[in-house]
Amino acid sequence: MANANSKKVIYAALAGNALIAVTKFVAAGITGSSAMLAEGIHSVVDTGNQGLMLHGTARANKPADAKHPFGYGRELYFWAFVVAILIFAVGAGVSLYEGVAKVLHPHPVTSPAVNYVVLLLAMAFEGWAFSVAYKEFQQIKGERGFIQAVRESKDPTVITVLFEDTAALSGLVVAFLGVGMAHLFGWPVMDGVASIVIGLILGATAFLLAYETKGLLVGEAALPRVTAGIRGVVREEPDVERLNEVLTLQLGPDDVLATVSVEFADGLPTGRIEQTVARLDAAIKKAQPEVTRVYIEAATAS
């Protein structure tokens, strides 16, 4: 399940985006800037998304019951996928619509100084939220490269917030440039162009999040090191003559189901096989703490 640090990242992003959204909408109302309106919508979507991630985290932590015997861990993956859809449908869609409308019917941006102040404040807030998310991501990443860590991550909370904050900072830079060009050079159409670019950034972010979450939602194997660790434990067991296969399924960020097919030596009494199975179960869970359920299929060499 998502740990306390992951929740800290979500709360930091939620607080930052809520404050930023209010200031952006006020600035958009005063100046009539399409790029600022797109940024305000972006912040509202992000704020709602953090709320959905917190909801998904709470649902994922529910204990298993008769209807869901393996728990609710994958609910977190479902809500992360919903977040990606919302970024695309609401954030990207509205930003593109506003941008195209402004390009077709440009009008001067009034009180540009308000936009500059709000954008700089928003960059400060977003920079703080991004630093919190990136610090947590660095701990998760370890020695792996950035892309590898993202591809192998089983906890979508930090990745989602990190992607959103990256898109937000990029969008703020684009909005600043668009408003600046509209003001300094008298090109009001650039405000609309900036809104379109922000929409494209959000669309790309949504696609990447949806792609990374899809595998976890459909059903993804545990990390190779987990499978290798299970194999190592089984091969050290003297009563196991042969290891046939190890299958794993990621049920949540720290919740792995493992099935192990082994062959026991001929002649082992039933009682000893039962003891060996219990010993393997305990040893696997000790060696790989994220493995919460182990099912061992026993066979004989003959």
Side-chain angles (χ1 to χ4, degrees), residues 70 89 94 100 135 162 175 185 187 203 205 215 218 226 232 245 249 254:
F70 294 111
V94 175
V100 171
K135 183 178 179 181
L162 184 66
F185 300 108
W187 299 340
T205 302
V218 172
V226 175
E245 69 175 349
L249 180 63
D254 298 305

Side-chain angles (χ1 to χ4, degrees), residues 178-194:
V179 171
M181 294 177 74
H183 172 224
L184 296 176
F185 300 108
W187 299 340
V189 71
M190 294 306 298
D191 185 46
V193 171

